[in-house]
Amino acid sequence: MKKLWTILSMALSALFMTAPAALAAEPAAIDTGDTAWVLISAALVFIMTPGLGFFYGGMVRNKNVLTTIMQSFFIVAMISVEWILIGYTMTFGTDINGFIGAMDKAGLAGVGMNILANGTIPELAFVAFQCMFAVITPALITGAFAERMKFHAFVVFILLWAIFIYNPMAHWVWGGGFLAKLGALDFAGGLVIHILSGVSGLTLCILLGKRVGFGRIPMLPHNLPMTVLGAALLWFGWFGFNAGSALGANALAANAFIASQAAAAAATVTWVVVEWALNGKPTILGAASGCIAGLVAITPAAGFVAPMPAIIIGAIGGVICYFAVAVLKAKLGYDDSLDAFGIHGIGGTWGSIATGLWATTEVNPAGANGLFYGETHLLFAQIISTIVAYVFAIVGTIILYKIISIFMHVRANKDEETTGLDISEHGERGYNYAIMSGSPFGDVLDAPATSTATVKELGINGHNL
């Protein structure tokens, strides 16, 4: 018994030695203003993922609304645990040959209030901020395979994707890896977040195949006010996303803030104008999509470009993403359900290249000058990094999908998809409207349901099917 107690005491001592030094006195070097801004920014980025759930949730058919929101909500929890255990050290641990971080910070070992990430904030604040980036990135992918992926396969894929694709790519760009050494710039995630998630989403939606009835029956958004609410939360949170990446309450944060607003506003205008000119009507879905496209486009450049170039980047981003969604997808015929690739993949690609055009050391002395400021190296580095991100996302996603497919069914079958994943995967429904004689919902029943009895039992309002 005494020997067992000794072993347990030694184990507990080792455990607490790896815990953050939370009880240590806060050093005078910590700037409370910078720390407050980074923590507030982390909270702003956090709200983006539930906001994304609303943004995507409103665009699916109502039989899949809870599934779509659940995916974003569950990712918040699962990836937060993964980030603390191994994600942070894989990304920001001691560099191993430019490819991955060592496990010296696994479980946040040695990470505490006395160790500063940039000289003015505690490293734990940096951990919290970067955790929210790790959370939202795989959530973006869910828009590409919405309405057809089984939940258990989704959980396994997203976890493995975060470990083997996001963490290495984030290390290559932000953790001192080989792309950082090449000179690539990515202020807040054009390469690491938007290209990586958008291209992975495109790859996965092609591997899964098209939804049942795609191209034959309408698959319209069931709740556009919900989508606009989600877009507003994303726009709001994006200020933490981009301005927070300055890691301080300083002039650089102010520049990133106004650049983000300028690009989002310009893209909203150009998307709506192009849509209006080509289709005869401006839509709120177009306006919401345009603002996200502009925010995606400016993300890699926000801390490196001035406000006027930010307007140009956003305006062009709105046009490019519109045609990617309205024309490219139709021509190629892939079923990217909620346009994750058209907005995030294409918008991130444009933003990465645009950084190589308009970046200037007048905004950020720690950056580099782009092509329009007389230098070519940065544009070269941005192009190479973009190609690397595309190849890594495509190859990595294919490998993960093939491995997972060996052990489980990844896609819902036809009956499950027709009924809706809310019921078939979670046993819930988003709208419990009573269907009765004279009910205002009696004429908008769920068309693809197998029988009238099934429709009445589920009580689903599916007029957009």
Side-chain angles (χ1 to χ4, degrees):
M1 185 68 180
K2 183 176 181 181
K3 184 177 180 180
L4 177 61
W5 176 250
T6 302
I7 293 172
L8 288 174
S9 299
M10 292 175 63
L12 288 172
S13 298
L15 176 63
F16 284 110
M17 285 176 65
T18 64
L23 299 180
E26 182 174 315
I30 289 179
D31 185 291
T32 55
D34 287 349
T35 302
W37 171 239
V38 171
L39 292 175
I40 290 170
S41 295
L44 287 170
V45 180
F46 164 81
I47 203 64
M48 291 176 70
T49 304
L52 182 73
F54 286 119
F55 182 70
Y56 282 164
M59 285 195 284
V60 297
R61 291 167 289 180
N62 57 15
K63 61 184 179 179
N64 296 308
V65 58
L66 293 182
T67 299
T68 304
I69 294 174
M70 171 66 165
Q71 288 171 349
S72 289
F73 198 83
F74 188 75
I75 282 174
V76 173
M78 179 173 68
I79 300 303
S80 294
V81 173
E82 180 273 334
W83 182 251
I84 292 170
L85 293 178
I86 61 172
Y88 181 72
T89 193
M90 289 180 68
T91 304
F92 295 103
T94 302
D95 177 60
I96 300 177
N97 299 320
F99 283 98
I100 199 66
M103 299 301 290
D104 54 326
K105 295 184 179 182
L108 303 186
V111 177
M113 296 176 65
N114 290 323
I115 303 173
L116 308 183
N118 71 336
T120 63
I121 65 172
E123 190 172 3
L124 282 175
F126 182 69
V127 170
F129 183 65
Q130 286 294 331
C131 176
M132 303 311 163
F133 278 58
V135 163
I136 194 171
T137 305
L140 297 173
I141 303 174
T142 63
F145 59 73
E147 302 194 304
R148 59 196 188 274
M149 191 171 187
K150 294 184 73 66
F151 189 73
H152 62 267
F154 151 80
V155 169
V156 175
F157 174 83
I158 291 297
L159 180 59
L160 294 179
W161 189 92
I163 294 171
F164 294 109
I165 298 181
Y166 176 80
N167 293 342
M169 185 70 188
H171 179 77
W172 297 348
V173 177
W174 293 330
F178 73 94
L179 293 180
K181 295 172 183 176
L182 178 67
L185 295 180
D186 189 1
F187 191 72
L191 285 165
V192 177
I193 295 175
H194 298 295
I195 293 178
L196 207 62
S197 62
V199 175
S200 291
L202 173 65
T203 305
L204 187 57
C205 82
I206 292 173
L207 291 169
L208 283 169
K210 301 173 185 178
R211 287 168 290 176
V212 174
F214 179 76
R216 294 186 292 104
I217 63 174
M219 296 183 176
L220 304 176
H222 88 284
N223 192 329
L224 280 177
M226 180 188 292
T227 293
V228 176
L229 171 64
L233 288 172
L234 285 167
W235 196 338
F236 172 67
W238 225 294
F239 293 122
F241 200 75
N242 287 356
S245 293
L247 298 181
N250 51 40
L252 185 59
N255 185 89
F257 193 110
I258 194 64
S260 301
Q261 180 70 3
T268 302
V269 171
T270 56
W271 184 302
V272 169
V273 167
V274 172
E275 179 185 52
W276 198 349
L278 296 180
N279 298 331
K281 294 184 187 299
T283 68
I284 186 61
L285 180 59
S289 300
C291 88
I292 302 303
L295 289 164
V296 169
I298 200 59
T299 292
F304 301 114
V305 303
M308 283 307 299
I311 288 181
I312 298 171
I313 292 170
I316 295 175
V319 175
I320 292 174
C321 290
Y322 172 81
F323 282 104
V325 168
V327 178
L328 181 65
K329 184 170 75 168
K331 283 189 174 295
L332 298 182
Y334 56 86
D335 185 11
D336 177 2
S337 308
L338 309 179
D339 300 310
F341 175 71
I343 292 179
H344 297 279
I346 296 298
T349 300
W350 162 240
S352 179
I353 303 302
T355 303
L357 299 175
W358 278 287
T360 172
T361 54
E362 295 176 8
V363 170
N364 189 341
N369 287 316
L371 183 65
F372 295 153
Y373 290 85
E375 298 182 17
T376 60
H377 176 76
L378 178 59
L379 180 59
F380 172 79
Q382 296 302 108
I383 293 173
I384 294 297
S385 300
T386 298
I387 293 172
V388 169
Y390 266 75
V391 172
F392 188 49
I394 293 170
V395 174
T397 300
I398 291 173
I399 292 172
L400 292 179
Y401 176 83
K402 294 296 184 182
I403 292 173
I404 293 171
S405 298
I406 296 173
F407 302 101
M408 63 185 70
H409 293 292
V410 178
R411 177 167 177 163
N413 63 41
K414 184 176 180 180
D415 289 340
E416 292 169 336
E417 191 176 328
T418 301
T419 299
L421 300 186
D422 286 0
I423 291 295
S424 63
E425 289 293 302
H426 304 289
E428 299 176 294
R429 53 182 177 265
Y431 304 100
N432 287 311
Y433 296 133
I435 297 181
M436 61 187 76
S437 177
S439 166
F441 306 106
D443 60 346
V444 288
L445 301 183
D446 196 347
T450 55
S451 69
T452 302
T454 302
V455 174
K456 290 182 177 179
E457 179 184 352
L458 300 183
I460 297 176
N461 165 20
H463 64 283
N464 282 320
L465 288 162

